[in-house]
Amino acid sequence: MTAAAWVQFCALIALVAVSTPLLGRYLAQVYGGGRAPGDRIFLPVERAVYRICRVDPDREQRWTIYAYSLLAFSFVSVVILYAQLRLQGHLPLNPDHMKGVGAVLSFNTATSFLTNTNWQNYAGESTMSHLTQMAGLAMHNFVSAAAGAAVAVPSSGA
C-alpha cells in the first residue's frame, strides 16, 4: 500500500474508535427509552407523527401485528421500487434517457435492496437514471437498514 493509503486507513480506524463509544451510548439511550440528546427536537416531531397516525405510544403492539406491518411495509416498498425501475424511462430526472429496466433485473434489484444485500447485476451509471439512484436505491439503503434495526431492537416494555 502507498503512504496515502496507510494514512487513510489509520484515519478511518481512528474515526471508528472515537465514534463507536459515542454513537453506542446514544443508541443505548434512544433504544433504552431514556432521555437522549436531540429529544427537544425529535420528541415533538415524534408526538405529531403519532397523533397523525393515531398511535398510542404507551400501548404495546402484538408481535403478529408488528410482523404484518413489517411485511406490508416491505411489500409496498418493493413494489414501488420495482415500478420505478420498470418505468424509469418515462420518469423525470433522466437526462441520459435510460430505458426501463427489464422485469427480471427489476425484481432482482428491488428484492436485493429490500433485503439490504444490495446485490447489483448491472452497471449503475449506464442502467439507472438519476431519480432511480436517488429516490429508489439510496432510499432503500436507508429504510432497509432502519427496518432491520426496528426488528432487531427489543421493545422497552419487553
Side-chain angles (χ1 to χ4, degrees):
M1 279 198 323
T2 65
W6 278 108
V7 169
Q8 288 177 350
F9 178 72
C10 291
L12 175 66
I13 297 300
L15 287 172
V16 169
V18 168
S19 65
T20 298
L22 300 172
L23 186 57
R25 205 172 305 117
Y26 172 74
L27 289 174
Q29 289 174 331
V30 169
Y31 289 138
R35 297 203 38 87
D39 279 355
R40 278 191 226 178
I41 297 168
F42 297 124
L43 284 180
V45 174
E46 182 177 316
R47 285 189 208 105
V49 170
Y50 283 159
R51 215 175 359 265
I52 291 168
C53 296
R54 297 182 182 156
V55 171
D56 180 3
D58 297 323
R59 191 169 151 221
E60 287 290 321
Q61 186 179 51
R62 290 192 351 245
W63 75 267
T64 52
I65 301 301
Y66 193 79
Y68 290 140
S69 299
L70 177 69
L71 290 172
F73 173 79
S74 297
F75 177 75
V76 168
S77 66
V78 81
V79 166
I80 290 171
L81 181 57
Y82 176 83
Q84 185 178 6
L85 291 167
R86 297 285 290 148
L87 299 171
Q88 79 175 354
H90 306 290
L91 298 174
L93 293 175
N94 189 4
D96 298 324
H97 306 290
M98 301 291 182
K99 295 179 181 166
V101 180
V104 173
L105 184 57
S106 292
F107 180 76
N108 182 14
T109 302
T111 55
S112 159
F113 274 80
L114 171 76
T115 59
N116 205 14
T117 53
N118 302 349
W119 188 76
Q120 300 174 28
N121 191 24
Y122 55 86
E125 315 73 45
S126 62
T127 307
M128 303 298 173
S129 71
H130 296 326
L131 179 69
T132 299
Q133 290 185 50
M134 290 185 308
L137 304 180
M139 187 270 304
H140 265 81
N141 281 332
F142 173 77
V143 297
S144 64
V151 170
V153 175
S155 70
S156 57

